[in-house]
Every structure is written in structure tokens, then in C-alpha cells.
Amino acid sequence: MSRFWSPLLNQLTPYVPGEQLAVPNLIKLNTNENPYGPSPRALQAIAEAAGDALRLYPDPHATALRTAIAARHGLAPSQVFVGNGSDEVLAHVFQALLKHGLPVLFPDVSYSFYPVYCKLFGIEAHPVPVNASFEIEVDGYKTPCGGVIIANPNAPTGLALPLADIERLLQLQPDRVVVIDEAYVDFGGESAVRLLDRYPNLLVVQTLSKSRGLAGLRVGYAMGSSELIEGLERVKESFNSYPVDRLAMAGAAASFDDEAWFEHTRQAVIRTRGELTASLQALGFEVLPSATNFVFARHAGFDAAALAQGLKQRAIMVRHFRLPRIEQFLRITVGTDAQCSALLDALRELTGPQAKAA
Ligand SMILES: Cc1ncc(COP(=O)(O)O)c(C=O)c1O
């Protein structure tokens, strides 16, 4: 608190990102980064872009990148908006498309940035409870609202909603924007992109941070009707003309040229996820069925905060949220096979007979 802060600032509870500890040999399974990293082609494009041209501002319209994204999804470049990570894109979405003087609906267990944006932009948040199995029930989204935002697959649960449910949601709220945050869709979800030509109220948001291994580059994007995209451009042009820099544009566009890398690394994560799930179950964990690059797991016999602490002492980071309904869960990013086996060894120690006796 400071007397120099605005009244709004005094009421904010900022989002807390996962820790980025600088510990040697840390096994970092707490922020859903991709263990395989970016395509070598993306790295080469970044290196080539790191030259004298950095004197110049980047293209404010990000034309080349938007064209690459549009081509990937079968859309026109005018249907694509890019930003500095999908977090920034989402921030503009709340301000440009969801703020209508009515509450915004989202699941009570979901990405914890949504309520933060509501506070920041003076929007009432209306969390809709997920059911006892942590699934989103679309019938809860009928009430008058300023808009709806759903992460699909959802985070931190990892559960995917079938496209038929998304379509029903779009029909329940034809006069409001329904945002589908597809940060994890490439690991097993069904993308709503193919509903775009039938639903002008649909906006789909994706990121290069997860399936393309470029969390450090900060590139995310939204896809929708050119009317919705123009709305986002208006907010962006009132905020920062150049959110995506020259290096990010070059690397991001090149990552879409390397389908082989994308497919190979994505399949590796999906395979390891299956093995990790089975091993955690063998240790007595309940693991929600994940369509993402993380698993959400709890153990009836051990406190999640204590397990997260025990792992941290062994230089293994996982995410634990002190939030209602999920405080006994750990969210564990799917790492390499070696990282996952180190995690499992540590959990064996922490949940083994000696641990119980302690
Ligand atoms: C559901 C969801 N949406 C959006 C993001 C933001 O991703 P980025 O800003 O790296 O694109 C995340 C990051 O973890 C996420 O989990």
C-alpha cells in the first residue's frame, strides 16, 4: 500500500506466476513450459532477425506473422490478432469485448488470471461452479452476462469439453462474446476454430508458449470475425502499437513452418503424459483425465502443500494452488521422461511407508 497508488491499485490482488527459481539442475514442472523447446527453425529465424534491423520499430500490424497464423488455421489475416503472450491478448479481450456492465461468466476452477482481469478492468466476475468431477456444465452459462470465457482444455484441471458443448454455449449466448482459451488445445483438445464461420460471437485464443515451446518469446493470438479483431486492434492501438517485437515475430512465424518438430514434440508430451498418469495412479494418486501438457492429481493420504514442499526440497517444482476445492491437488507439468522419473522417485520417497510412519 502506498498513498501514491490509485484507489484501484489498493484493491487489486495480482496474479502470482509460477516461480522461476535460478537453481542448478532444477526440475521445473510448475508452469507448463514445453521440455523440448522451440523448433530449431524458429531459433535460426530469431538469430537472423537479431541484426541491424533492430534499430527499426517492428511492423505494427504484424502482417507476416498474422498471415502465417491465418494460413495455419485456414483463416484470413484480418481474422487474427496477435499480442505479447496470450495473457496480453486476454487482457485486451476483457476490456474490448467482455466489459458490458454485466458479470462475466467463467468456471470457478479455471485460469486464475480471469478474476484478476475482471478486477483490473472493473468487471464483475461470476464464477460458475464446475461439477463434483470438476467438469464444466454448459447449462450454468444461461444467465444474462457481459460475456463468457472458458479455457478448453481447462486449466488447472486438464479436462477437455467436447466441441458440441462449446457450440451449445455459443447458442445460449448469441448476443455475447464467448471466448475459448485454447492454450493447451494441441495436447488433446478439439479446437473451436472450425466453428468460427458459423458463430460471429466466438473468439478463440491460442499461444505459442506451450505446444510450440516458446514461452520466453511471448506470442499469443486471437481468432474471430474481423469485427471482433478490429475491436481488439482498437484497444491495442490505444495501449501499445508494438507489443510483438521483431525477434518474436520472426521466431513465431518460423515455428509454423516446422510441422515435423511440432508434431514430434507434441506426441512425445502426450505419450509421457499417459505413462506419468499411470505411474501416479500406481502410487495412489487420483489423476484427472488430462488433455493438456500437465496432470492434476491428489493423494488421499498426503497433504498437497506438504508434497509440493517436499518436492521443492529435492529441487523439483510443481504447482500448488491454495484455492477452494483444489487445495489438495498438485498441477504437474509433463516433462521429459527423465524429469518425470525423477519426480516419481521423489514422490515414492514422500509417500512411501517411511513417510507414512513419520
Ligand atoms: C489457460 C491459460 N491461458 C493463457 C495462458 C497464458 O499463456 P501465455 O501468456 O504464455 O501465452 C496460460 C498460461 O499458463 C494458461 O494456462
Side-chain angles (χ1 to χ4, degrees):
M1 290 270 245
S2 157
R3 68 194 169 93
F4 297 112
W5 291 3
S6 70
L8 169 67
L9 210 54
N10 286 320
Q11 289 166 21
L12 288 185
T13 311
Y15 175 76
V16 182
E19 282 179 277
Q20 297 285 352
L21 291 183
V23 172
N25 303 322
L26 181 72
I27 296 183
K28 201 172 167 304
L29 305 175
N30 64 333
T31 48
N32 300 338
E33 288 140 336
N34 190 318
Y36 301 109
S39 149
R41 281 205 214 169
L43 295 178
Q44 193 188 334
I46 293 167
E48 283 165 11
D52 178 62
L54 287 178
R55 294 181 298 109
L56 304 171
Y57 285 106
D59 172 9
H61 308 297
T63 311
L65 176 56
R66 286 169 60 211
T67 303
I69 294 169
R72 155 97 193 157
H73 293 284
L75 302 171
S78 63
Q79 292 181 276
V80 178
F81 174 82
V82 298
N84 192 271
S86 58
D87 280 340
E88 186 189 72
V89 173
L90 291 169
H92 292 337
V93 168
F94 273 79
Q95 210 171 19
L97 305 174
L98 300 181
K99 186 171 176 169
H100 293 284
L102 282 169
V104 166
L105 312 181
F106 50 80
D108 64 338
V109 178
S110 193
Y111 187 33
S112 35
F113 230 130
Y114 304 153
V116 174
Y117 286 137
C118 282
K119 261 274 163 59
L120 180 63
F121 297 121
I123 301 168
E124 197 187 323
H126 178 49
V128 180
V130 293
N131 68 20
S133 310
F134 298 95
E135 293 154 348
I136 292 167
E137 290 195 344
V138 168
D139 284 336
Y141 293 80
K142 284 180 190 158
T143 49
C145 66
V148 177
I149 181 160
I150 302 271
N152 191 39
N154 197 10
T157 61
L159 300 174
L161 198 61
L163 217 49
D165 285 316
I166 301 284
E167 193 158 3
R168 215 150 62 75
L169 187 58
L170 288 159
Q171 290 163 356
L172 285 176
Q173 295 289 352
D175 298 318
R176 290 299 183 204
V177 174
V178 173
V179 182
I180 308 299
D181 177 353
E182 295 188 345
Y184 300 102
V185 73
D186 293 326
F187 299 107
E190 268 180 290
S191 176
V193 167
R194 67 185 158 93
L195 300 179
L196 280 175
D197 53 359
R198 278 187 287 139
Y199 294 95
N201 58 329
L202 169 63
L203 189 83
V204 179
V205 178
Q206 293 194 3
T207 178
L208 279 77
S209 297
K210 313 294 178 182
S211 55
R212 292 184 186 273
L214 284 167
L217 206 62
R218 311 304 303 128
V219 182
Y221 57 96
M223 296 168 284
S225 65
S226 12
E227 185 188 347
L228 298 188
I229 299 306
E230 190 190 332
L232 294 172
E233 291 287 345
R234 286 173 73 94
V235 173
K236 176 222 149 199
E237 296 302 351
S238 311
F239 177 74
N240 177 7
S241 300
Y242 309 105
V244 184
D245 64 56
R246 281 176 172 272
L247 304 184
M249 272 197 260
S255 81
F256 287 100
D257 288 337
D258 197 347
E259 191 60 25
W261 180 267
F262 171 73
E263 205 43 45
H264 175 71
T265 50
R266 186 173 84 91
Q267 292 302 342
V269 168
I270 292 170
R271 180 185 43 75
T272 306
R273 178 182 72 208
E275 291 164 8
L276 176 62
T277 301
S279 305
L280 286 169
Q281 285 166 337
L283 287 179
F285 282 88
E286 176 197 355
V287 187
L288 301 192
S290 170
T292 63
N293 69 337
F294 58 84
V295 294
F296 203 46
R298 65 179 162 191
H299 196 300
F302 294 90
D303 177 58
L307 288 177
Q309 191 53 33
L311 290 171
K312 190 172 178 179
Q313 282 159 359
R314 291 160 174 81
I316 300 172
M317 300 291 297
V318 299
R319 193 85 201 254
H320 172 248
F321 297 96
R322 281 182 203 281
L323 290 173
R325 300 190 69 183
I326 57 167
E327 61 201 345
Q328 283 312 323
F329 278 91
L330 296 176
R331 193 197 67 189
I332 306 169
T333 304
V334 177
T336 59
D337 288 340
Q339 288 174 326
C340 290
S341 83
L343 166 89
L344 290 162
D345 286 346
L347 285 174
R348 250 172 235 120
E349 258 175 58
L350 291 165
T351 61
Q354 264 160 339
K356 270 201 178 117

